[in-house]
Amino acid sequence: MPSAVREIKVTPMDHGLKSNVDFGATVHGIDLNKLTDSDFEVIHEALHKHKLLVFKEQPEMLLPTKQYELTRRFDPDETTGGFAHGVDPFL
């Protein structure tokens, strides 16, 4: 299976010289609907470092099942699908 070489960039957000804010980053080059283990490693490390991630250039909206899978990667015991209102009936 051929692998596509792509560049993943995590760029700290610029909050301006007078800002006391020192968190947040934008992420380019990861399609959250086609997340690989190596993509998740980048996300996991970046989230712990920057505390907030904004994913740019997503080809389509994150599918509910993919949101659930992403949530489960952070918390394998997750059962609600990442929704505060309880279990999502579509999962």
Side-chain angles (χ1 to χ4, degrees), residues 27-85:
V27 180
H28 294 264
I30 292 178
D31 181 347
L32 292 174
N33 281 311
K34 297 178 182 171
L35 194 65
T36 66
D37 290 340
S38 61
D39 292 342
F40 181 73
E41 287 178 28
V42 171
I43 291 170
H44 191 263
E45 182 179 318
L47 185 59
H48 283 283
K49 181 177 181 178
H50 300 286
K51 309 300 183 220
L52 170 90
L53 301 177
V54 177
F55 294 89
K56 296 291 195 168
E57 301 169 349
Q58 292 298 295
E60 62 183 338
M61 219 168 136
L62 185 60
L63 300 170
T65 54
K66 297 301 180 181
Q67 178 181 352
Y68 177 71
E69 290 170 12
L70 178 60
T71 302
R72 293 269 330 228
R73 285 183 185 242
F74 283 103
D75 181 5
D77 296 327
E78 169 58 41
T79 60
T80 66
F83 299 97
H85 57 75

